[in-house]
Amino acid sequence: MGSPPNSLPTPVTEAGRDGLAALLDSPGRAVLALDFDGTLADIVPDPEKARAHPGAVAALARLAPRLCSLVVITGRPAGVAVRLGGFTDAPGLERLVVLGGYGAERWDAATGTVRAPAPPPGVAAVQAELPGVLDGLGAWHASWVEDKGRAIAVHTRRAEDPQAAFELLREPLYALAERHGLIVEPGRYVLELRPPGMDKGVALAEYVRETGATTVLYGGDDLGDLAAYSAVDKLRSDGLAGVLVCSGSAEVAELAGRADLVVDGPAGVVALLHALADRLEKQPA
């Protein structure tokens, strides 16, 4: 006997219900876009040890043949997200696209290659200056620095008091970023210093236009996903259908408050994907 199908949850907003109905009615005209960390993968103290939820690839592979496109949009380098996600040569994901660095980098499963511009000089300057800043604040041992190539992320999740360490670093890191022409992207116990001009909202809107899709479902979990939420709101005002999914966390109440549908972390996201697949597989291809 097979396992029973997952129940497809109902969005709490009218726009979300309309978006889900449009996706189910015309999946071949829908883009499914997801963040990686906190959405497809659980948040862990060491970002290098993050892995996609064990059911994520299988769920995505079930949906891929019926959708216009699947895309992962992440602040990580595209190649890193591909490796940690287990997306390379995954059966059923031959058309998957990963937009890394908030859209500055692109990996296509069809070619297995990453296209990425050179990092701006401000990133190297910040990387050189950052150790002295952290040491001067007495925060060297309370933080963990992640080199993302086109960005530098300073994590405080390992600190004895992660929120206090985060607040200690906020103002100095904003000043450091400004000196070198960068911006700061705050997240869940992380401050990321990166180039301006690209965010998940810009990346998502450009990708939806590229595909010609008329419906978009976006799932995220952190402050960096608010730009993508705003992009979906704008697309809906332009006549497209959209669904905003929050991979629930008490740490980012603002995102949950704007979502059409809140699920219980990456496990909830995977359950939602399987529920969508269950419904679509009952429909004519």
Side-chain angles (χ1 to χ4, degrees):
M1 296 288 291
S3 59
N6 293 294
S7 175
L8 185 61
T10 301
V12 298
T13 65
E14 182 178 359
R17 292 190 291 272
D18 290 345
L20 182 58
L23 189 157
L24 294 172
D25 184 61
S26 300
R29 303 189 69 185
V31 165
L32 178 69
L34 298 167
D35 172 43
F36 185 73
D37 291 285
T39 303
L40 285 175
D42 285 311
I43 298 292
V44 294
D46 183 349
E48 186 58 27
K49 294 183 179 179
R51 295 294 184 273
H53 184 280
V57 169
L60 292 171
R62 290 182 67 196
L63 285 169
R66 296 180 177 271
L67 299 176
C68 172
S69 186
L70 283 174
V71 60
V72 174
I73 306 177
T74 175
R76 287 188 187 262
V80 172
V82 169
R83 172 172 56 84
L84 298 181
F87 301 140
T88 305
D89 299 325
L93 297 184
E94 292 81 6
R95 295 187 296 120
L96 176 68
V97 172
V98 176
L99 301 178
Y102 299 91
E105 302 179 358
R106 178 169 177 152
W107 176 88
D108 289 272
T111 63
T113 59
V114 174
R115 287 179 286 163
V123 173
V126 162
Q127 188 174 36
E129 194 173 333
L130 184 59
V133 172
L134 296 177
D135 187 57
L137 292 168
W140 185 251
H141 297 294
S143 57
W144 187 84
V145 178
E146 180 186 5
D147 182 358
K148 293 188 171 184
R150 292 185 54 81
I152 302 295
V154 182
H155 300 262
T156 65
R157 189 172 291 273
R158 294 178 179 176
E160 183 176 342
D161 186 337
Q163 187 62 41
F166 181 91
E167 296 300 333
L168 174 68
L169 292 174
R170 185 194 294 268
E171 186 174 338
L173 293 191
Y174 270 84
L176 175 62
E178 184 176 4
R179 286 200 299 274
H180 296 289
L182 304 181
I183 62 172
V184 175
E185 186 80 50
R188 294 159 66 180
Y189 301 133
V190 60
L191 294 158
E192 183 169 319
L193 290 73
R194 64 177 182 85
M198 181 60 78
D199 59 34
K200 291 182 181 180
V202 173
L204 178 62
E206 290 181 352
Y207 189 76
V208 170
R209 285 194 292 268
E210 174 189 328
T211 62
T214 57
T215 301
V216 56
L217 182 152
Y218 182 82
D221 76 303
D222 206 345
L223 295 174
D225 297 300
L226 288 172
Y229 271 36
S230 295
V232 173
D233 286 339
K234 176 64 166 60
L235 290 168
R236 291 199 283 208
S237 72
D238 292 339
L240 278 72
V243 185
L244 295 171
V245 176
C246 175
S247 177
S249 170
E251 294 176 9
V252 191
E254 184 177 357
L255 207 68
R258 288 185 57 181
D260 303 310
L261 186 61
V262 179
V263 297
D264 188 14
V269 171
V270 169
L272 172 63
L273 299 181
H274 277 300
L276 281 171
D278 288 340
R279 287 284 295 272
L280 294 177
E281 287 170 356
K282 294 177 181 177
Q283 301 174 188

